[in-house]
Structures are given as structure tokens and as C-alpha cells.
């Protein structure tokens, strides 16, 4: 992949992640008023960010409501939250706060029930582990999306799924996003591939709408492929490609 200077069209991901400074944000918002492609791309990135944050959400058991409501009267109200200093990093608020606040809220609800049973302890540990995994995924995805040299291509798979690939030479990484991806079916999964001189290299699995970081080094790859494979994936494609999309040059 070759380096390209950043232009307005390359800022959609950084805008969606809150990674632009005030001046850049104002300029990009002016650009959005006249660029339908960037408006659509920004909406897709914002939807992806929301899905990543929602990954740590947990549906509490019905039995949790009564003890939690009873405990509210004994919980001290928090002081008002003051605005963050102007020097705080712009990205420090968006995805991390969404993901971690959901995990912490679930943890507080569990604590209100007493936190003394084995189920509660295991549940809290599961939430903590899930929050760490989501945080790592957020960090990896956001590093690519917010990179100044991020380049984007869009495609449509033969099964109707809308796809995007964002790559960054600086990060030496690429992320794949799918929307309207049909359910793969029992015993099946979608597998991603990197095309290196005609050889398809496994690059990860995806079985529902969302964003994943492509496994492997995309620097020497020319395209990204998508196939339907047996659960767990395959060493080589076993079906016709649903998508073969050139990586951003």
C-alpha cells in the first residue's frame, strides 16, 4: 500500500470516533453538507462504533430489579460531573467511555445484589473479561480508523452484504466492516482472506454484522476475499468467493 496525503474524504472514520480537533471537525462538517458519500460513510462508522460499545451490554436477570431498587435509597448520590479540561484527548471520551460505562454499570448492579454468591462472582469476572476484550478490539479498530493515512474502499458481496475495508500503511493493518450480512447457517461461518499474488491467506472469521481487524499483514496483499466456510474456518477456500475487493492503493 502506498502513502497518500490526507484529504477531506479520508476523515470520516476519525470524525465518527471524535478524533478530530475542533478546527478539523468544523471543516469536515462543512464538507459533509455537500458530500453524500462521506455522510453515508460517517453514518456507517458511527453505527459500527455503537455496535462495538454495545458488545459489553448484559440483560440483567428479572430477580435483580427488586434488590437493586431497594438498595437505591442507601446509595450516596455522586457529585456533578465537571467538564473535562480542554487539553484532554478528543478520543478519550467516545468509544472507551461507552464500552466501559456499560460494563461498570453491569458490575454495579451485580454488587447491589450482595456479590457473595458464586454466580455473582463468576458473572462479575465474565463481565470484566468481556470488557477487556472489547477494549482491546476498540483500541485495534480505532487505531486504524483514526490513522491520518486511513484509506477506504466499499463493496457489495454476492449475498447482498455491504462491506468496507479501511487500511492504514502507518498502522500496517486493515479492518473489515459488514452490514446486512445474512446468517451463515448452522455449522457455517464467513471467512476473510488476504489475496497475495493469487494465494488466499486466512485473515479471520465474521458471522454477523460488525467490524473485525484483518489477521495478518496487509502490506503485500492486493485484495480481501470473503467466502462461506465450515464453522472454525478453513486453511484454503472451499467455496466460490462472495467478495473479492481490491485493497486501497
Amino acid at each position: 500500500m502506498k502513502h497518500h496525503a490526507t484529504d477531506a474524504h479520508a476523515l470520516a472514520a476519525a470524525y465518527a470516533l471524535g478524533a478530530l480537533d475542533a478546527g478539523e471537525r468544523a471543516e469536515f462538517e462543512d464538507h459533509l453538507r455537500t458530500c453524500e458519500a462521506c455522510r453515508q460513510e460517517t453514518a456507517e462508522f458511527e453505527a459500527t462504533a455503537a455496535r462495538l460499545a454495545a458488545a459489553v451490554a448484559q440483560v440483567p436477570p428479572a430477580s435483580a430489579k427488586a434488590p437493586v431498587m431497594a438498595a437505591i435509597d442507601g446509595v450516596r448520590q455522586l457529585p456533578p460531573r465537571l467538564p473535562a479540561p480542554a487539553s484532554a484527548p478528543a478520543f478519550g471520551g467516545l468509544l472507551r467511555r461507552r464500552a466501559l460505562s456499560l460494563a461498570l454499570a453491569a458490575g454495579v448492579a451485580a454488587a447491589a445484589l450482595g456479590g457473595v454468591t458464586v454466580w455473582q462472582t463468576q458473572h462479575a469476572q465474565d463481565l470484566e473479561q468481556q470488557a477487556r476484550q472489547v477494549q482491546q478490539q476498540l483500541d485495534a479498530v480505532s487505531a486504524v480508523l483514526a490513522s491520518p493515512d486511513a484509506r477506504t474502499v466499499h463493496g457489495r458481496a454476492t449475498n447482498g452484504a455491504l462491506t468496507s475495508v479501511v487500511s492504514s500503511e502507518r498502522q500496517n493493518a486493515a479492518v473489515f466492516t459488514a452490514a446486512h450480512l445474512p446468517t451463515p447457517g448452522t455449522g457455517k461461518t464467513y471467512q476473510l482472506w488476504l489475496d497475495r499474488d493469487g494465494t488466499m491467506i486466512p485473515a479471520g472469521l465474521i458471522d454477523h454484522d460488525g467490524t473485525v481487524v484483518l489477521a495478518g499483514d496487509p502490506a503485500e496483499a492486493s485484495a480481501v476475499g470473503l467466502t462461506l466456510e465450515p464453522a472454525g474456518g478453513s486453511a484454503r477456500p472451499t467455496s466460490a468467493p462472495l467478495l473479492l475487493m481490491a485493497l486501497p492503493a
Side-chain angles (χ1 to χ4, degrees):
M1 296 180 288
K2 298 180 180 179
H3 176 74
H4 288 259
T6 301
D7 57 26
H9 299 285
L11 295 178
Y15 177 84
L17 294 173
L20 300 180
D21 61 32
E24 290 172 332
R25 186 176 185 85
E27 290 181 5
F28 186 71
E29 287 175 345
D30 288 340
H31 172 72
L32 283 178
R33 295 187 183 97
T34 59
C35 183
E36 173 63 27
C38 282
R39 286 198 297 271
Q40 180 177 348
E41 188 172 9
T42 298
E44 291 172 354
F45 282 128
E46 288 175 339
T48 295
R51 284 194 295 269
L52 288 170
V56 294
Q58 293 283 326
V59 178
S63 60
K65 182 177 180 179
V68 170
M69 297 301 293
I72 288 177
D73 289 338
V75 177
R76 181 181 178 184
Q77 184 174 351
L78 293 174
R81 179 177 294 176
L82 298 177
S87 60
F91 179 63
L94 191 61
L95 298 180
R96 290 189 174 89
R97 281 205 300 270
R98 287 184 184 176
L100 295 181
S101 63
L102 287 168
L104 291 175
V108 169
L113 298 177
V116 295
T117 66
V118 173
W119 179 88
Q120 287 169 324
T121 300
Q122 183 61 50
H123 186 59
Q125 292 173 345
D126 290 345
L127 285 173
E128 183 179 359
Q129 175 64 24
Q130 189 176 26
R132 282 198 297 266
Q133 292 174 346
V134 170
Q135 181 66 65
Q136 292 171 355
Q137 185 179 11
L138 288 172
D139 288 342
V141 171
S142 62
V144 176
L145 299 187
S147 183
D149 68 338
R151 307 293 296 176
T152 306
V153 292
H154 302 287
R156 183 186 292 270
T158 59
N159 60 6
L162 301 177
T163 65
S164 297
V165 173
V166 183
S167 62
S168 166
E169 183 179 15
R170 178 177 297 185
Q171 298 295 328
N172 194 29
V175 297
F176 177 90
T177 297
H180 310 302
L181 191 66
T183 302
T186 304
K188 295 288 187 178
T189 189
Y190 294 106
Q191 186 162 357
L192 294 161
W193 308 87
L194 288 173
D195 182 357
R196 295 180 184 169
D197 298 325
T199 300
M200 305 304 288
I201 308 298
L205 306 175
I206 184 169
D207 59 10
H208 57 272
D209 289 355
T211 297
V212 296
V213 179
L214 293 175
D217 183 355
E220 297 179 358
S222 60
V224 171
L226 180 71
T227 61
L228 186 62
E229 301 293 334
S234 306
R236 293 288 183 269
T238 64
S239 65
L242 300 169
L243 174 78
L244 189 60
M245 182 166 57
L247 280 168

